[in-house]
């Protein structure tokens, strides 16, 4: 079992920055691919970014490419999502998720993930 806890959400003005953290416990973290997803009420959970278990590879959604950066510190069992140039449309609940499968094209799909955090709210005001 893996427990994931997100933190770092909040209210920020458009153009501002936030850094989200996802801290894991319960299993060897360095063996897990970790992704970030976001969801607004009434809509599906959308892929944001993902990072390989060793940090070798990353993938970003087109909507955040160039503005968000995902990274990890396996010694701290933590994955970060640094968000720059935030826009009102980035407003959502942000979730981190972990999967035990090897890296594959499926890492951008929410159903490929085994463990989820409880989410953290990000609100960007215009």
């Amino acid at each position: 079992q893996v427990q994931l806890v997100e933190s770092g959400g909040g209210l920020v003005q458009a153009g501002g920055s936030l850094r989200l953290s996802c801290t894991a416990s319960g299993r060897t973290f360095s063996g897990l691919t970790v992704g970030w997803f976001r969801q607004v009420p009434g809509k599906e959970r959308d892929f944001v970014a993902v990072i390989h278990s060793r940090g070798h590879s990353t993938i970003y959604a087109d909507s955040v490419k160039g503005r968000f950066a995902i990274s990890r510190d396996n010694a701290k069992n933590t994955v970060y999502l640094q968000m720059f140039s935030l826009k009102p449309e980035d407003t959502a609940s942000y979730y981190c998720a972990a999967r035990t499968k090897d890296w594959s094209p499926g890492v951008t799909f929410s159903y490929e993930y085994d463990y989820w955090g409880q989410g953290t709210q990000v609100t960007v005001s215009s």
Side-chain angles (χ1 to χ4, degrees):
Q1 282 290 338
V2 176
Q3 292 78 45
L4 302 172
V5 178
E6 303 97 334
S7 61
L11 174 64
V12 64
Q13 289 188 332
S17 301
L18 280 176
R19 188 177 78 161
L20 306 183
S21 299
C22 172
T23 301
S25 61
R27 183 186 165 127
T28 302
F29 182 68
S30 61
L32 301 174
T33 292
V34 176
W36 285 95
F37 293 79
R38 64 187 183 186
Q39 188 171 26
V40 297
K43 294 190 175 182
E44 294 186 353
R45 194 166 293 188
D46 291 332
F47 168 74
V48 176
V50 60
I51 188 165
H52 185 276
S53 60
R54 299 290 183 177
H56 296 162
S57 298
T58 58
I59 300 174
Y60 295 92
D62 288 343
S63 59
V64 307
K65 203 171 292 183
R67 300 188 298 120
F68 289 12
I70 189 170
S71 62
R72 67 190 296 157
D73 185 342
N74 285 344
K76 296 182 178 180
N77 286 358
T78 301
V79 169
Y80 304 98
L81 184 68
Q82 180 69 58
M83 305 184 293
F84 301 99
S85 302
L86 283 161
K87 304 175 181 180
E89 51 263 44
D90 293 318
T91 296
S93 294
Y94 283 71
Y95 299 86
C96 70
R99 56 176 263 158
T100 56
K101 297 176 186 177
D102 291 338
W103 185 262
S104 74
V107 296
T108 63
F109 298 105
S110 60
Y111 58 78
E112 289 281 336
Y113 287 78
D114 306 296
Y115 306 102
W116 290 85
Q118 83 290 348
T120 186
Q121 178 67 34
V122 171
T123 303
V124 184
S125 63
S126 57

